[in-house]
Amino acid sequence: MQKIKSLMTRQGLRSPQGDIHDLSPLENFRIPSKDELRELREQPTDPQAQQEIINSIEEVYFSNDSFDVVKYELEKLPSVLSLQELEDYRDKLKQQQAAVSKKVADLILEKQPAYVKELERVTSLQTGLQLAAVICTNGRRHLNIAKEGFTQASLGLLANQRKRQLLMGLLKSLRTIKTLQQTDVRLSEMLEEEDYPGAIQLCLECQKAASTFKHYSCISELNSKLQDTLEQIEEQLDVALSKICKNFDINHYTKVQQAYRLLGKTQTAMDQLHMHFTQAIHNTVFQVVLGYVELCAGNTDTKFQKLQYKDLCTHITSDSYIPCLADLCKALWEVMLSYYRTMEWHERYDCDESASLSDGGNMTGSEETNFDRSYVKKKLEHGLSRIWQDVQLKVKTYLLGTDMSNFKYDDFIFVLDIISRLMQVGEEFCGSKSEVLQESVRKQSVNYFKNYHRTRLEELRMFLENETWELCPVKSSFSILQLHEFKFMAQSRSPSVSPSKQPLSEIERTLTLFEQYCNGGNPFEIQANNKDDETEDVLASNGYESDEQEKSAYQEYDSDSDVPEELKRDYVDEQTGDAPVKSVSRETLRSRKRSDYCLSKVNAPILTNTTLNVIRLVGKYMQMMNILKPIAFDVIHFMSQLFDYYLYAIYTFFGRNDTFESTGLGLSSSRLRTTLNRIQESLIDVEMSSDATGTLTAAEERKEKVPSPHLSHLVSLTSGSTLYGLAERVVATESLVFLAEQFEFLQPHLDTVMPPAKKPFLQQFYSQTVSTASELRKPIYWIVAAKAIDYEQMLLLMANVKWDVKEIMSQHNIYVDSLLKEFEQFNRRLNEVSRRVRIPLPVSNILWEHCIRLANRTIVEGYANVKKCSNEGRALMQLDFQQFLMKLEKLTDIRPIPDKEFVETYIKAYYLTENDMERWIKEHREYSTKQLTNLVNVCLGSHINKKARQKLLAAIDDIDRPKR
């Protein structure tokens, strides 16, 4: 019955929970028989109706197996029994029983195949168990046979052999344990020998072996000891790694890297290395500065050691500033060089390792190695800028810790030179432009340079006011590159380097500082050596290369400087100092000799001590500009002020003369006048009245200006015997021209360092200022020419001549001889001046040109004062002028004679007709109104009537009206 209930449960049917055996005998008797079941099964039933009957069974019938159905039904009976109700209720129970019975019968028939199949499996299992019993019986029988076939001795032998093998294994383990116990001694020895890879390899092998014998109690203690030893090795390895930062040793670093690779901590090693480099920079600069501070303090007070680096830098004295800076840069160079060599080692090692990995087949190890190598490479590349940034900040702190405004110029330049070399190191180290250093040094430099320049301008004014304009004797081979201020340029120019040294310098230029000093030396040690190399050899003895040259120069000069007639001897070329190779005409020799007012053997530059000082100042300025290119514009601007002030001083001393400037001869070009006005407005401090009050801005602008210089009272410009200070004028003017030539020589170098945005300033300075230096010759030498010849005396002599003669004269007038004597005297004085100062050919030509031009214009002015003149008188004028020209051409080689046509055209205009003269007057506006009016008046009565005279005078008035 239980199986039926479980079967009904699996089918999802609700079955009564009571056991059929618990039914009373009366109920058992009423269980349907097989025939009844068959009949029930064969009767057509509605499955839905049957299921409803089953569902109508009370829930209590399905409660549990111990349920008493009879008791339950009896207790349900009412107190008053009704037979009909009992019959109806019994029929209902029978229907429920029939429905359940039919459902059970259907389930039994449905599960019969499964029952048969399960019965077959039980039968098969029984057969298998019987076979197993047979096998066990046979096994027991065979074991009994084996037990009876072997003796106890044989089994004992086998047991002893097995025991022997176990003991041998134990002995081997004990020996290994003994070896492990003794490894600590060997590890200590290897650490003392700095054999870190070997020590780590041994320690790792011991740990591996210890893990094999970890079942021994003694090994656990040994394993802990090995772990402590390994940690100790890592600590010593970190200390060894820190030593790399200051003194890189390739063998030492190779061992350290191999050790970290064995530990599998390559990346950790790289992180630690960068931390050590940062710490090394801090410790190095602190110790260097601390050493100098304690040295200068003179005691061993420990208070300095407690200061911060920034505060420590403020205790550096001026005397120890440069040595401390040099040592600081040397120490930082060693750190950066170690980093550079570290990168170099990794690049070489990576190449070798890549080649070895390409031959092997371990792909996993290759990938890990490539990853480590990539990490190390990126870390090192990133560390370059980080290391350099730390270096910049440390040096910047040192630079700003001291006020350098009171430093000497050479000391300041030396500081800038060191910083410039350090910035070069930074550019080669990581490609950095060193903005931090540049900005800090630029601020210091601009501030220092403004004060320095202001002082130098005041010194230049003092030099100019005390300058007597005597010639400074320099050798003919003098070059500004010979001055120690320009040595930095001479070293960069290949012509100034000896041939034996050129290949070496070319090689050095191709190498970086790290390549040059990789194996030893320090780039910051060169500075001190170069600083002492300041010897010069530019001055000559008395202005000559030697005493013999001086003697021969004066002998040759004395032999041909007395009178013009003696100017026919062979000459010596002023440019080369040698006699001409080719034969030339006597006239050519004579003309060249007359124009050569110089000591023929000496062609040294004409300059003064002040000029030399200005050139030295320019060299110093360029040194600073070359070292610190960001302030190039400020430096070049200050250099231009030096030239401007020198030019303005020369003009003020020797060229300013309102009387001669108003002649309208164009002595000063518009460009020169514009330049002088600009200098006066921007640089010259015009003295203000005492009661004038200016604003703060005006005061600051005035502070940037310099008072106008005054000529020394020792210089006389009024003596006719010295041609009104011609020697001083020549020295001053030609020194300015020489200074301009040096600026022209320096222009390419200045152009390379000038910022592109500021180059127009440089171009304007050269085109409008430097190029005007030679233009000062005209106004300066015009003053000499205007005073050297007595033109007024000549006008008086011409006024006494009678020009209305009736016959053609064959003898020229006396005023011509007087004028020629004036020129001969001028020539002699010119020769006397040339004994003191060499007069260059352009200067002598300008002097002669001015004198001749003034003489010709005086002749025209004299002719214009004539009241009456005949045709014969005009012929006499032509005779006089031709005589003057003939004699004059023997005194000078200037061709053509200046203003020759000016005189001849005026004389010939006398013969023009009325119409031709009117056209001539309109075309020749170079003559004054007085000269044109006199020409018309003189012609009246001869071939011009009064009506024509009025017409011509009206034309002259029309020409003169725009001038008024």
Side-chain angles (χ1 to χ4, degrees):
M1 188 62 187
Q2 190 67 25
K3 292 183 178 179
I4 294 173
K5 289 193 295 180
S6 63
L7 181 60
M8 291 179 68
T9 303
R10 288 198 298 270
Q11 294 298 322
L13 299 176
R14 296 173 65 189
S15 60
Q17 300 299 318
D19 194 345
I20 194 168
H21 299 288
D22 296 334
L23 296 178
S24 62
L26 180 62
E27 292 299 326
N28 287 333
F29 176 78
R30 291 185 181 275
I31 293 175
S33 62
K34 291 182 179 180
D35 296 333
E36 290 175 347
L37 290 174
R38 187 181 298 110
E39 291 175 1
L40 291 172
R41 188 170 57 253
E42 291 175 355
Q43 291 177 0
T45 59
D46 185 5
Q48 185 175 1
Q50 189 176 359
Q51 184 63 36
E52 289 177 355
I53 294 172
I54 294 174
N55 292 338
S56 66
I57 300 173
E58 293 184 29
E59 187 69 26
V60 71
Y61 284 96
F62 302 100
S63 59
N64 51 47
D65 293 342
S66 63
F67 175 64
D68 189 354
V69 179
V70 177
K71 184 179 179 181
Y72 174 72
E73 290 297 338
L74 291 175
E75 289 177 352
K76 283 177 60 180
L77 291 177
S79 58
V80 181
L81 299 175
S82 174
L83 182 61
Q84 183 63 37
E85 290 178 358
L86 290 174
E87 288 290 338
D88 293 339
Y89 185 67
R90 185 190 65 181
D91 293 339
K92 180 182 177 182
L93 291 175
K94 283 184 178 182
Q95 288 178 0
Q96 292 177 349
Q97 183 182 18
V100 172
S101 298
K102 188 174 185 314
K103 188 67 175 178
V104 170
D106 291 340
L107 291 174
I108 290 173
L109 292 175
E110 183 182 351
K111 297 298 180 178
Q112 186 176 6
Y115 166 75
V116 175
K117 185 177 180 180
E118 187 67 23
L119 186 59
E120 290 176 355
R121 288 180 60 196
V122 171
T123 306
S124 175
L125 179 61
Q126 184 178 7
T127 305
L129 290 174
Q130 291 175 354
L131 179 60
V134 173
I135 292 173
C136 289
T137 302
N138 292 335
R140 289 176 179 176
R141 188 173 62 252
H142 288 306
L143 283 175
N144 290 329
I145 295 172
K147 184 177 180 180
E148 295 175 356
F150 289 97
T151 62
Q152 187 176 0
S154 298
L155 293 175
L157 182 62
L158 292 175
N160 290 334
Q161 177 64 22
R162 181 173 178 275
K163 186 177 181 180
R164 179 176 179 272
Q165 291 178 347
L166 292 174
L167 290 174
M168 289 181 64
L170 178 61
L171 180 60
K172 183 178 180 181
S173 299
L174 292 174
R175 288 175 177 172
T176 304
I177 293 172
K178 181 181 179 182
T179 304
L180 291 176
Q181 293 287 354
Q182 295 175 347
T183 51
D184 57 341
V185 179
R186 178 56 185 157
L187 284 173
S188 300
E189 294 176 354
M190 297 177 79
L191 290 177
E192 291 179 359
E193 296 170 358
E194 295 186 347
D195 185 9
Y196 304 108
I200 291 175
Q201 184 71 32
L202 178 60
C203 193
L204 292 176
E205 290 177 356
C206 290
Q207 281 188 329
K208 185 178 180 181
S211 64
T212 305
F213 303 104
K214 61 183 179 181
H215 49 281
Y216 296 106
S217 59
C218 62
I219 290 299
S220 60
E221 182 182 351
L222 176 63
N223 203 6
S224 176
K225 185 177 180 180
L226 287 174
Q227 186 62 35
D228 294 340
T229 304
L230 191 61
E231 292 176 359
Q232 181 184 356
I233 293 175
E234 289 188 28
E235 292 176 359
Q236 294 193 21
L237 200 57
D238 190 60
V239 174
L241 187 64
S242 64
K243 296 179 181 178
I244 298 296
C245 301
K246 294 185 179 180
N247 186 16
F248 182 88
D249 181 80
I250 187 169
N251 296 325
H252 182 74
Y253 188 68
T254 303
K255 291 180 181 179
V256 172
Q257 281 297 321
Q258 289 176 352
Y260 273 110
R261 197 170 293 109
L262 289 173
L263 291 172
K265 295 184 177 181
T266 305
Q267 298 181 17
T268 304
M270 196 49 55
D271 296 337
Q272 288 293 108
L273 181 63
H274 280 81
M275 184 187 70
H276 287 313
F277 267 107
T278 303
Q279 191 67 25
I281 292 174
H282 175 75
N283 293 340
T284 298
V285 297
F286 187 84
Q287 291 300 325
V288 171
V289 176
L290 178 64
Y292 276 92
V293 170
E294 291 181 343
L295 181 65
C296 297
N299 55 41
T300 57
D301 192 351
T302 58
K303 67 176 183 180
F304 295 118
Q305 298 179 358
K306 300 178 183 178
L307 294 177
Q308 295 291 330
Y309 172 72
K310 182 178 181 181
D311 299 328
L312 195 64
C313 291
T314 60
H315 290 79
I316 291 290
T317 62
S318 300
D319 295 336
S320 61
Y321 186 84
I322 293 179
C324 182
L325 177 62
D327 288 347
L328 198 66
C329 292
K330 289 178 185 178
L332 291 172
W333 161 260
E334 295 296 338
V335 175
M336 288 187 286
L337 178 62
S338 296
Y339 195 90
Y340 173 83
R341 296 187 66 186
T342 301
M343 290 192 66
E344 197 177 48
W345 183 93
H346 279 280
E347 290 177 1
R348 188 184 304 114
Y349 173 78
D350 289 345
C351 293
D352 297 341
E353 190 179 54
S354 298
S356 62
L357 286 176
S358 62
D359 297 337
N362 188 356
M363 296 301 296
T364 304
S366 176
E367 291 177 359
E368 292 179 359
T369 304
N370 288 335
F371 178 77
D372 286 344
R373 187 164 61 246
S374 176
Y375 178 84
V376 169
K377 182 178 180 181
K378 290 181 180 178
K379 190 74 175 179
L380 288 172
E381 290 175 351
H382 176 72
L384 283 172
S385 57
R386 181 181 169 187
I387 295 292
W388 176 241
Q389 187 69 12
D390 289 343
V391 171
Q392 282 192 92
L393 292 175
K394 295 300 181 184
V395 177
K396 174 189 175 182
T397 303
Y398 181 83
L399 286 176
L400 300 180
T402 301
D403 182 13
M404 292 187 284
S405 59
N406 296 323
F407 275 33
K408 296 179 181 178
Y409 178 83
D410 290 338
D411 292 340
F412 189 76
I413 286 295
F414 190 55
V415 171
L416 292 186
D417 201 19
I418 292 177
I419 300 303
S420 176
R421 180 60 63 96
L422 185 62
M423 288 191 287
Q424 181 184 354
V425 170
E427 186 170 1
E428 294 178 1
F429 186 66
C430 61
S432 171
K433 297 301 181 182
S434 307
E435 290 83 1
V436 174
L437 279 179
Q438 285 194 18
E439 181 61 23
S440 58
V441 176
R442 190 191 70 81
K443 290 180 181 178
Q444 287 266 21
S445 299
V446 170
N447 183 41
Y448 174 86
F449 200 65
K450 282 184 179 179
N451 297 330
Y452 180 81
H453 176 65
R454 174 69 188 177
T455 306
R456 299 290 82 76
L457 278 178
E458 291 291 344
E459 287 183 359
L460 178 58
R461 181 172 71 90
M462 182 186 66
F463 277 123
L464 289 170
E465 291 182 345
N466 291 278
E467 179 64 64
T468 58
W469 305 104
E470 295 290 337
L471 189 66
C472 177
V474 295
K475 293 184 177 181
S476 59
S477 60
F478 170 75
S479 169
I480 61 173
L481 297 180
Q482 296 170 352
L483 302 175
H484 76 263
E485 287 84 358
F486 291 90
K487 288 294 176 66
F488 73 96
M489 288 184 61
Q491 293 170 359
S492 63
R493 291 174 170 268
S494 56
S496 63
V497 182
S498 62
S500 62
K501 294 183 179 180
Q502 281 185 3
L504 180 60
S505 61
E506 291 175 2
I507 293 174
E508 289 180 351
R509 282 197 296 271
T510 59
L511 297 177
T512 65
L513 293 174
F514 288 96
E515 292 170 342
Q516 292 181 38
Y517 301 100
C518 186
N519 297 321
N522 196 301
F524 297 98
E525 294 176 351
I526 301 177
Q527 309 300 322
N529 297 334
N530 287 343
K531 185 178 178 182
D532 298 333
D533 187 17
E534 298 181 354
T535 57
E536 298 175 347
D537 186 18
V538 296
L539 298 180
S541 174
N542 297 325
Y544 299 90
E545 307 292 333
S546 63
D547 294 338
E548 291 76 9
Q549 188 176 12
E550 178 181 7
K551 182 178 179 181
S552 62
Y554 277 113
Q555 284 178 349
E556 188 162 339
Y557 175 80
D558 290 339
S559 64
D560 57 6
S561 61
D562 293 331
V563 293
E565 286 75 16
E566 295 179 4
L567 298 175
K568 301 177 182 179
R569 300 180 182 178
D570 292 343
Y571 82 106
V572 177
D573 188 11
E574 71 163 350
Q575 298 297 326
T576 63
D578 299 326
V581 177
K582 295 182 180 180
S583 61
V584 291
S585 64
R586 181 178 296 273
E587 186 66 26
T588 303
L589 293 176
R590 188 167 57 242
S591 64
R592 289 190 180 183
K593 190 59 185 178
R594 282 191 295 267
S595 63
D596 182 17
Y597 294 93
C598 64
L599 298 179
S600 57
K601 289 285 186 179
V602 181
N603 291 304
I606 298 177
L607 68 159
T608 66
N609 287 326
T610 303
T611 316
L612 203 58
N613 285 328
V614 172
I615 293 174
R616 291 185 186 276
L617 271 181
V618 170
K620 291 180 178 180
Y621 284 22
M622 290 185 66
Q623 282 182 26
M624 182 177 291
M625 177 180 59
N626 191 58
I627 294 171
L628 199 63
K629 292 180 176 58
I631 66 166
F633 171 71
D634 300 293
V635 176
I636 293 177
H637 176 65
F638 292 149
M639 284 173 55
S640 69
Q641 289 187 348
L642 294 176
F643 186 85
D644 288 346
Y645 195 71
Y646 194 85
L647 182 147
Y648 187 82
I650 300 299
Y651 171 76
T652 304
F653 293 167
F654 304 105
R656 176 177 288 176
N657 192 310
D658 297 335
T659 302
F660 297 111
E661 287 180 357
S662 62
T663 57
L665 296 177
L667 297 177
S668 299
S669 65
S670 59
R671 184 174 63 169
L672 178 59
R673 290 194 297 272
T674 302
T675 299
L676 292 170
N677 290 334
R678 176 188 62 78
I679 295 173
Q680 182 169 340
E681 292 175 0
S682 62
L683 189 60
I684 304 304
D685 181 17
V686 180
E687 294 182 359
M688 302 174 65
S689 59
S690 59
D691 58 345
T693 57
T695 62
L696 181 62
T697 305
E700 292 178 354
E701 291 180 355
R702 189 178 180 187
K703 185 179 179 181
E704 299 296 327
K705 296 182 179 181
V706 187
S708 178
H710 302 286
L711 183 64
S712 173
H713 66 277
L714 299 176
V715 180
S716 175
L717 303 179
T718 58
S719 174
S721 60
T722 60
L723 283 181
Y724 306 95
L726 177 61
E728 289 80 1
R729 294 176 190 270
V730 169
V731 172
T733 308
E734 298 313 305
S735 68
L736 175 64
V737 173
F738 177 77
L739 185 61
E741 291 173 353
Q742 306 316 304
F743 269 82
E744 294 282 358
F745 171 73
L746 297 174
Q747 183 179 6
H749 183 80
L750 299 179
D751 192 64
T752 57
V753 298
M754 191 71 158
K758 301 294 185 180
K759 285 190 177 181
F761 168 81
L762 185 65
Q763 296 170 356
Q764 184 179 14
F765 169 66
Y766 272 92
S767 61
Q768 297 186 8
T769 305
V770 177
S771 60
T772 59
S774 59
E775 296 180 10
L776 272 180
R777 285 170 168 168
K778 282 189 176 182
I780 291 176
Y781 297 135
W782 176 270
I783 297 174
V784 176
K787 296 180 179 180
I789 306 295
D790 191 354
Y791 304 103
E792 295 296 331
Q793 178 65 24
M794 187 177 67
L795 286 175
L796 294 175
L797 293 175
M798 292 179 70
N800 296 327
V801 178
K802 186 177 181 182
W803 298 105
D804 56 347
V805 294
K806 300 300 182 181
E807 58 182 12
I808 297 177
M809 305 297 290
S810 60
Q811 180 64 31
H812 60 274
N813 286 300
I814 191 172
Y815 75 87
V816 176
D817 295 329
S818 176
L819 181 59
L820 288 173
K821 287 182 180 179
E822 289 283 339
F823 273 101
E824 290 175 0
Q825 183 181 10
F826 170 73
N827 189 32
R828 285 194 298 271
R829 289 177 177 176
L830 204 58
N831 288 329
E832 291 173 359
V833 172
S834 66
R835 294 191 180 204
R836 292 178 51 198
V837 178
R838 177 177 66 88
I839 301 179
L841 181 61
V843 176
S844 64
N845 287 342
I846 289 177
L847 284 168
W848 277 102
E849 180 183 347
H850 283 341
C851 289
I852 295 171
R853 192 181 299 277
L854 284 170
N856 286 336
R857 291 183 178 271
T858 303
I859 290 174
V860 172
E861 186 66 21
Y863 292 161
N865 292 331
V866 176
K867 302 299 181 181
K868 295 181 180 179
C869 182
S870 62
N871 290 336
E872 291 79 7
R874 286 291 175 184
L876 180 59
M877 292 179 182
Q878 289 182 338
L879 176 63
D880 291 346
F881 187 62
Q882 292 301 321
Q883 177 67 19
F884 172 69
L885 291 179
M886 183 181 65
K887 296 291 185 179
L888 184 64
E889 288 176 350
K890 295 179 181 180
L891 294 175
T892 179
D893 61 347
I894 295 180
R895 302 293 184 274
I897 297 297
D899 283 350
K900 175 182 176 183
E901 293 80 6
F902 184 79
V903 180
E904 291 178 342
T905 303
Y906 187 80
I907 296 175
K908 293 175 182 179
Y910 178 82
Y911 303 104
L912 296 176
T913 62
E914 175 188 343
N915 294 332
D916 291 340
M917 182 169 289
E918 184 179 2
R919 183 170 59 254
W920 183 89
I921 288 173
K922 293 179 180 179
E923 292 176 353
H924 292 78
R925 300 190 178 189
E926 65 270 20
Y927 298 100
S928 66
T929 302
K930 173 190 173 184
Q931 293 169 351
L932 294 175
T933 303
N934 180 268
L935 180 64
V936 173
N937 290 331
V938 170
C939 293
L940 178 64
S942 60
H943 55 279
I944 294 180
N945 55 31
K946 292 184 178 180
K947 183 178 180 180
R949 172 176 172 270
Q950 294 298 328
K951 181 179 179 182
L952 292 174
L953 290 177
I956 294 173
D957 189 62
D958 292 340
I959 294 173
D960 185 56
R961 189 176 293 111
K963 297 180 181 179
R964 298 198 298 269

